[in-house]
Amino acid sequence: MTAPGTRPELGRPELTRVAGLPAAHCPLPSERTAELLERRAGLSGALEDLRPRVEDVLYTLVPLLDGARDLRRAVLAARRAAHRCAPPGWDEPTAARIAGYADEEACGALRRWRELTAAAQAVDGELDKEVARDRAGAEDTLAAALEDPAFAHSLALATPDWVRYGRARGSRKRQRALRTLYSYTVRAAAKTSPFARLTTVGVPGAAHDGRAVQQVSATVALTALYALARSPRTAHLLRYRPAPVRPAAPAAEASDDAALLMLHPEYVATGGVTWRLDQVVEAGPAADWARALAAARTPDAGTPAGGAGTPADGDGASARGAGTSADGRGMPVPGDGTPGHAERTLAHGDALRTLGGPDPFRRFLRMLDSGVLAPVPPWRRGEDALDVLLALTRHLPAADPSGAADTPGAGDAADGTEGVDGTEAADGTGEADGTGEADGLAVVGQLRALAAERERLAEPVRPGAEAPRRRAGAVARVRELGREWARTAGWDRFEPAEVWYEDAATGLRLPPVVADERTAEDLRRLGAAIRPRLFRSHLYDTLVRRFVAAYGSGGSCDDVLGFAMRCGAESDRDPELEQAVQLDLAAREDPGERAWLPVGPSSAPPTAAVLFQQLDRGPGAAADGGPRLVVNQFNPGTGGLLTRFKDLLGGDFAEALRGHVRRCWPHAAHHRELVLWTECSTAQAQSCGLLPPLTLPGELGAADALPLDATRLVHDPRQDTLTLLAPDGLPLAAAYTGLVPTHLFPKFARFLAVLSDPWINGSPLSDHRMPFQLPRDPEQVRAQDRETLDGAGAVVTRRASWTVPVDRLPLPPPDAGCGAEGVAAMDTFRRAHGMPREMFAYLLPANGGGFGPGHDRKPLWIRLDSAVSLEVLAHWITPGTGRLRLVEALPAHDGHPLRDADGDRRAAEHAALLHWAGTGEEEG
């Protein structure tokens, strides 16, 4: 048996993330502060060394002073002061009289104590003034960041209310505003997480012009879509899809009274991200409605490709044409109107006729609320949703957004015709009094107002405060529209935080990274070290077992969605799935043979994306002169981390990435992208278009889309693997090219993702390791030394870090200020534990469990010798935080090698793609 290869191939393209502000915008204490803290630490050490001797001298003096009661009281007070390393509080005459009772050595100790405590007091006084100067300097540095037009422009997206109102002058409000400004400034100067121009991106070795990709967020468009669907004035403009229904067991497919499962969608917005949580639930009576509606579907009427249609099918439905197209390999595929393969949709009138009853529209609303029906977005992948909605509603009169509607008479349809089936149109209450009709037309007016706001959101970056304020005002108004539409849709807890999506390219010419042979070799060595820890997930084994149990060894399944739904059905417990997750966690320690298990031709061999930073070692550094790069974290290497930027970075970037994705599935005949939440998440939608799509229910369509229903899944009994087949019977790769990690997918979709890419990277050779291992003694500070690859210093695989219980940190109360005393206390703490001054802080939950919205945060850059940093840190810690993970800043603010046109250092992070062939001879 030949040994599997471990050295990876380096894929293309590469990506560099560039901080939007120079690193110098991180507010730094002065060198004088560092000197004073150093002197204070030296004096504190000397005082601690001397204190036992002084306490002994004072203890000996007390019984000698019974006849001099005033001196006795002074010595007793000095003893108490000595416990605090404080001055004895004697004037010169008192000190001279006390010296008369002591020998020469004792007098020397007392004299030295007075000198040291006086010096310490002087240092404290100077430190107090210097900390005040540092605070003023920090405020100036943070305020100066606002003079950068790109930063101010992006701040209007990130925190519009702060841009509009945040510069208050009241003491508490001013401190709150300063904390907000600090958080965003250090994020833009020290971290590299793409958001507008807080972090920009580019291709190493290339020059970029700073252009941006911008659009109204998909979340806002989706809320408008659902608001239109709930009004009889506008519901007829849309088509609707019944929820997929499948038997709970494949053997029951032919039975009329089989238990049925339904795919139930629910939209959730958290942390600025929108998700569609599709849950597989028992259908119950809803199955009858869903099946009846599916049977009543009407074919889509044709419209020009890529455009939104005017009412076309007699019921005003916007429609798309059926047809065939070809994927990248020339395979004919059904279009999204092909019977039997396309997602089943129907016109509004057909839905009402099928639902029937005295008030069909009210019943229709109940179908929307229960997830039995959902409106189909009329835009396709790559289209601007707002433009499509505007075109769809352009023939309608618009109600004034304030509520004064310019509408036809009550009971009339928006185009002057009668309601469906000759009845009057009814609102959501079942009363044909015109109140429901005005809602849809108000949404139409609001959409047109949104188009005007879009112009303000897309304004070019300009200097001055007014442009960001105008932009922030537009963000606030659009956010309010989204909130109103969400309430109209019945989503009471849905808060659409993201209203405008923006990614920007850097304006710098970036030096090559992987083209440097030394860096490339470092990455190959790293890849060889992590390959034995890349192993096949136990979830894949579970998938195979469930398939064989249902269809037999060597079996075939023509309903892949139904199989995935049955695997992912919601239940109180799924012991087999829970065990698979636990086995995957255990296998991270020692995967063994799991690292070399086979997968089918539609599954990717192992891949990895490495996110790393380079360090500036100075012009005269020797070849072995310290670390060259730091490994931040690993991601799947199939391209999803980069796909979002394909439109921003141009055709060459997209073509290189397309080639890489295909190389990641070398044994597949066809390559398609599988991306979830394209209709509600802009970042996910931006990740589409690299390959022809394989679509799931609810996803945006495309002219060359292939529905999952058109595929087949088969079992290979020889290798005990599964293979997804295209309609022509050849292996089909379903490449996930989105941004959201697949472990956050709904359970049924997670199985599909595991089928496509079944590998888990359990390597410990990166700084970001999940789950974080909490210390055995949770009350103690736990230090972790810096680690390097193979014990050599060139590649740092883990920064030095400290896990600290929150109550052990000498921080000021969250709403209190921090002065020199607080800075000195933290300096003492950090010295005791060997911490550097400059660090990143991560929040860890108190219960040691998973990371929720309060803890899964980006790290915060801090200086432990800065009063402003300590105040922000104290306020940043949440009530549920049990510990902080404090990590050395490597590179530090002055250690980044990338410089901008002004010569200022810029933080940068690089992404490199690694992939393995899967089998082969061991490489040297």
Side-chain angles (χ1 to χ4, degrees), residues 666-754:
H667 307 298
H670 306 290
H671 298 82
R672 287 181 171 268
E673 63 185 23
L674 176 68
V675 184
L676 271 63
W677 307 323
T678 52
E679 87 289 14
C680 64
S681 168
T682 323
Q684 291 288 94
Q686 284 287 334
S687 300
C688 293
L690 191 72
L691 297 170
L694 179 69
T695 54
L696 298 181
E699 299 305 330
L700 296 181
D704 52 359
L706 177 71
L708 183 66
D709 282 350
T711 66
R712 190 160 54 96
L713 193 61
V714 298
H715 177 249
D716 178 357
R718 183 177 62 86
Q719 289 195 321
D720 200 24
T721 59
L722 296 177
T723 300
L724 187 67
L725 301 179
D728 63 0
L730 297 177
L732 168 67
Y736 175 60
T737 59
L739 186 67
V740 178
T742 57
H743 71 268
L744 298 176
F745 280 11
K747 191 160 55 169
F748 91 98
R750 189 177 177 188
F751 276 116
L752 295 174
V754 166

Side-chain angles (χ1 to χ4, degrees), residues 271-427:
V273 180
T274 302
W275 323 76
R276 188 187 69 245
L277 300 182
D278 292 304
Q279 293 186 318
V280 181
V281 297
E282 293 183 6
D288 294 333
W289 288 113
R291 286 184 155 182
L293 290 164
R297 69 185 182 89
T298 52
D300 289 354
T303 57
T310 54
D313 65 352
D315 195 47
S318 170
R320 300 289 185 184
T324 61
S325 57
D327 78 351
R329 294 298 185 103
M331 179 186 68
V333 298
D336 59 352
T338 304
H341 288 301
E343 189 172 10
R344 295 176 175 179
T345 69
L346 70 161
H348 182 247
D350 292 306
L352 294 189
R353 279 188 285 271
T354 302
L355 294 171
D359 191 347
F361 191 78
R362 191 176 204 181
R363 185 169 282 173
F364 167 78
L365 291 179
R366 287 202 297 271
M367 295 297 107
L368 289 180
D369 291 337
S370 62
V372 174
L373 272 179
V376 178
W379 59 91
R380 284 181 170 176
R381 297 181 183 219
E383 291 183 329
D384 187 289
L386 177 58
D387 285 343
V388 173
L389 289 176
L390 289 170
L392 185 70
T393 59
R394 64 174 176 259
H395 65 289
L396 295 178
D400 187 287
S402 64
D406 177 17
T407 67
D412 295 334
D415 58 1
T417 63
E418 288 185 315
V420 176
D421 292 331
T423 62
E424 290 184 327
D427 67 4

